[in-house]
């Protein structure tokens, strides 16, 4: 068994969806295919939901009409025979009928989740109609029948495993099983979703639940690169990463994979492969328990960071001081990315300003509080980099002209993190690409 997940860009055009079908049917192995919504659909659904929330039903209706027209054109190009075009249009019409009905319903958060689920429901149905037209035996496994989260919005892996096993046994004669990414049911049985990185998370959870041989994440880039290819001209794909290295890179800004997606596969030791639908023969990146090699492998950057410095010569060395500081952030459910301490100050970074005024107010009794916004964490990730010769020397030689304001080193054997002003992010990444990788 293997899991193959395809993102929105991989199925966003009719020809791309056809290429995905070719990849899925390339061999006879049993596989579960996880699809995202067609690219642009989720954004459109968010706009529709926002318009309804603000009471602008006219704008919502206009966006629904535009989206439906897009799907009609998509179907026309995807399918060759009229009988399958009629079938596909009928299936999609049911979802747009729902979207039109909600124009007359009072908006709620539960309704919002229903709206956002429509993209994945439609993409999987269209894909199945295309497989049917091509005479490919398959089965649609509705994610809402097995994917669930608990009251804390955590996946119920035990329940997922049991329900999936039952469905797989029921359809034991089918080698291609199609399901939706992102969507699930919550503890109340309502339609919900897995938040950011949802489709990747779905694939990883399914791979773990079925103890698959591999979890393939297909995107529009050939694996995880050593640097951000949108910013740095010369980057290369990384052949192999450990789960820990991949998690560090994902958390600190590598956009190809969301950090939550590593955990389920890691728990069951299921290899994850990052592959490119545009270049299916490219090796991509394999993520396994083993790192494959030592030394620095990649650089990632996380934007929108806020640095908070609490300075207090009286309080800092007092017993329990740091605990009291951390309790403030815990109270407002705000995670800390980096921390450094000195004799008279402690500095931390956070990535959300949602409760910033409240946090500052509660920190002020401890001492002087300084806040710097628009910072960037740049992380240098690899295997056993603390034991790798000359890493720190090469790192700081590379960045002699960069204003580094915080350094986190030693907390992880896989990571050295630096805080720099957001305005110096591009310069920092380019200098590291040259200084650390010689590119």
């Amino acid at each position: 068994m293997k899991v193959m997940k395809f993102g929105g860009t991989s199925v966003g055009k009719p020809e791309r969806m056809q290429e995905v079908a070719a990849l899925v049917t390339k061999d006879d192995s049993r596989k579960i295919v996880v699809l995202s919504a067609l690219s642009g659909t989720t954004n459109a659904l968010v706009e529709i939901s926002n318009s309804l929330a603000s009471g602008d039903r006219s704008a919502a209706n206009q966006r629904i009409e535009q989206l439906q027209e897009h799907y009609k054109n998509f179907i026309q190009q995807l399918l060759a025979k009229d009988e399958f075009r009629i079938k596909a249009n009928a299936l999609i019409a049911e979802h747009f009928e729902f979207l039109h009905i909600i124009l007359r319903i009072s908006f709620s958060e539960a309704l919002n989740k229903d709206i956002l689920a429509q993209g994945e429901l439609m993409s999987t149905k269209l894909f199945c109609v295309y497989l049917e037209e091509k005479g490919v035996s398959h089965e649609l496994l509705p994610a809402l029948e097995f994917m669930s989260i608990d009251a804390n919005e955590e996946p119920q892996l035990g329940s997922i495993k049991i329900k999936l096993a039952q469905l797989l046994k029921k359809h034991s004669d089918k080698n291609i099983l199609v399901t939706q990414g992102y969507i699930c049911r919550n503890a109340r049985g309502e339609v919900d979703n897995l938040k950011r990185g949802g489709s990747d998370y779905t694939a990883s959870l399914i791979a773990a639940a079925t103890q698959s041989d591999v979890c393939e994440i297909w995107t529009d880039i050939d694996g995880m690169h050593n640097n951000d290819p949108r910013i740095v001209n010369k980057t290369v794909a990384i052949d192999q990463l450990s789960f820990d290295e991949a998690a560090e890179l994902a958390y600190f800004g590598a956009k190809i994979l969301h950090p939550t997606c590593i955990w389920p596969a890691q728990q069951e030791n299921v290899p994850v492969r990052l592959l490119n639908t545009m270049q299916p023969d490219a090796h991509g990146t394999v993520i396994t328990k083993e790192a494959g090699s030592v030394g620095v492998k990649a650089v990632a950057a996380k934007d929108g960071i806020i640095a908070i410095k609490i300075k207090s010569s009286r309080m800092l060395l007092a017993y329990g001081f740091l605990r009291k500081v951390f309790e403030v952030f815990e109270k407002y459910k705000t995670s800390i990315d980096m921390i450094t301490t000195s004799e008279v100050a402690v500095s931390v970074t956070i990535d959300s300003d949602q409760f910033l005024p409240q946090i500052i107010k509660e920190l002020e009794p401890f001492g002087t509080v300084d806040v710097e916004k628009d910072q960037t964490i740049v992380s240098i990730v690899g295997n056993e980099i603390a034991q790798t010769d000359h890493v720190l020397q090469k790192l700081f030689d590379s960045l002699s002209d960069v204003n580094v304001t915080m350094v986190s080193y030693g907390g992880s054997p896989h990571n050295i993190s630096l805080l720099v002003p957001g305005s110096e992010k591009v310069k920092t990444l380019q200098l590291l690409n040259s200084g650390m990788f010689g590119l």
Side-chain angles (χ1 to χ4, degrees):
M1 172 74 78
K2 70 177 176 180
V3 176
M4 302 176 74
K5 176 264 172 180
F6 295 91
T9 54
S10 295
V11 293
K13 295 181 179 179
E15 61 270 23
R16 296 264 175 87
M17 186 173 278
Q18 292 163 353
E19 289 164 4
V20 166
L23 287 170
V24 166
T25 56
K26 196 172 183 179
D27 59 60
D28 294 330
S29 64
R30 200 174 196 207
K31 53 189 72 80
I32 298 176
V33 181
V34 180
L35 298 186
S36 297
L38 308 189
S39 56
T41 297
T42 300
N43 288 340
L45 292 170
V46 168
E47 290 175 12
I48 292 165
S49 189
N50 289 342
S51 296
L52 287 172
S54 65
D56 192 346
R57 298 181 185 276
S58 175
N61 183 64
Q62 184 178 3
R63 196 68 188 91
I64 292 169
E65 296 289 346
Q66 291 171 348
L67 189 61
Q68 186 166 13
E69 191 62 29
H70 172 72
Y71 272 82
K72 287 178 180 177
N73 293 332
F74 190 97
I75 289 167
Q76 188 67 24
Q77 297 173 56
L78 175 69
L79 301 162
K81 298 177 182 176
D82 285 342
E83 62 178 295
F84 292 102
R85 287 173 177 168
I86 292 169
K87 182 173 183 176
N89 276 306
L91 288 170
I92 298 306
E94 293 175 6
H95 294 277
F96 282 100
E97 183 180 357
F98 164 76
L99 291 175
H100 279 105
I101 288 172
I102 63 173
L103 293 172
R104 303 188 294 272
I105 298 174
S106 297
F107 184 81
S108 66
E109 184 55 32
L111 184 59
N112 174 50
K113 301 290 179 61
D114 266 322
I115 294 169
L116 297 182
Q118 300 308 305
E120 279 72 19
L121 294 171
M122 290 192 289
S123 67
T124 47
K125 288 181 180 180
L126 286 182
F127 186 67
C128 286
V129 173
Y130 179 73
L131 291 179
E132 185 182 353
E133 183 180 57
K134 291 296 179 182
V136 177
S137 179
H138 67 280
E139 189 68 39
L140 179 63
L141 300 183
L144 298 178
E145 291 186 9
F146 65 85
M147 189 62 63
S148 58
I149 54 176
D150 60 23
N152 296 315
E153 299 187 343
E154 292 296 327
Q156 298 176 304
L157 192 55
S159 172
I160 294 167
K161 184 179 292 189
I162 292 169
K163 290 178 179 178
L164 254 181
Q166 293 169 345
L167 287 169
L168 292 175
K169 185 178 180 180
K170 180 181 177 181
H171 302 294
S172 58
D173 59 327
K174 298 291 193 301
N175 279 344
I176 296 176
L177 303 143
V178 182
T179 193
Q180 299 90 13
Y182 181 60
I183 65 175
C184 62
R185 289 197 184 276
N186 59 30
R188 298 180 298 276
E190 300 165 340
V191 175
D192 212 316
N193 58 64
L194 297 172
K195 310 297 184 293
R196 293 176 298 173
S199 290
D200 288 351
Y201 203 6
T202 299
S204 185
L205 287 165
I206 290 173
T210 58
Q211 295 183 311
S212 292
D213 298 318
V214 65
C215 177
E216 297 179 351
I217 307 294
W218 291 81
T219 66
D220 55 357
I221 186 170
D222 54 336
M224 193 173 285
H225 280 227
N226 71 305
N227 211 324
D228 191 336
R230 299 165 303 174
I231 294 173
V232 179
N233 289 330
K234 297 178 181 178
T235 66
V236 294
I238 308 163
D239 285 340
Q240 185 172 346
L241 289 167
S242 68
F243 287 117
D244 289 333
E245 290 171 320
E248 296 268 13
L249 283 170
Y251 182 77
F252 285 106
K255 302 297 184 187
I256 191 172
L257 197 64
H258 195 268
T260 54
C261 308
I262 298 297
W263 174 80
Q266 185 174 12
Q267 298 308 299
E268 297 294 335
N269 199 23
V270 177
V272 176
R273 291 195 68 194
L274 307 179
L275 299 164
N276 187 354
T277 49
M278 317 306 168
Q279 298 178 33
D281 295 327
H283 177 270
T285 300
V286 62
I287 303 169
T288 63
K289 185 178 180 181
E290 296 78 27
S293 61
V294 299
V296 176
K297 294 184 182 177
V299 176
K302 188 176 183 181
D303 297 320
I305 301 298
I306 302 163
I308 303 173
K309 183 176 183 180
I310 307 106
K311 185 177 181 181
S312 173
S313 57
R314 181 175 63 86
M315 294 283 290
L316 191 63
L317 297 180
Y319 177 77
F321 173 73
L322 285 177
R323 174 180 57 79
K324 291 175 183 176
V325 169
F326 291 142
E327 282 176 348
V328 173
F329 292 94
E330 182 181 3
K331 178 180 178 180
Y332 293 102
K333 296 183 179 179
T334 301
S335 61
I336 292 172
D337 291 319
M338 292 175 65
I339 176 170
T340 61
T341 61
S342 72
E343 195 171 342
V344 295
V346 55
S347 296
V348 301
T349 67
I350 60 176
D351 61 5
S352 170
D353 64 358
Q354 184 178 1
F355 300 109
L356 186 59
Q358 296 96 316
I359 289 170
I360 293 171
K361 185 176 180 180
E362 295 204 25
L363 290 174
E364 283 175 341
F366 302 150
T368 304
V369 180
D370 293 318
V371 177
E372 285 188 275
K373 295 185 177 182
D374 301 320
Q375 304 292 296
T376 294
I377 293 176
V378 176
S379 290
I380 297 86
V381 175
N383 180 37
E384 298 180 9
I385 53 178
Q387 289 79 44
T388 305
D389 292 340
H390 310 302
V391 167
L392 285 178
Q393 181 181 339
K394 288 175 69 175
L395 174 60
F396 288 106
D397 284 348
S398 303
L399 302 179
S400 58
D401 295 330
V402 176
N403 179 26
V404 178
T405 55
M406 281 179 69
V407 179
S408 176
Y409 176 59
S412 163
H414 311 293
N415 182 348
I416 303 170
S417 289
L418 315 170
L419 188 71
V420 301
S423 58
E424 296 198 36
K425 168 190 167 180
V426 173
K427 176 183 177 182
T428 301
L429 292 182
Q430 291 172 339
L431 288 171
L432 287 173
N433 210 50
S434 174
M436 301 301 291
F437 304 109
L439 296 172

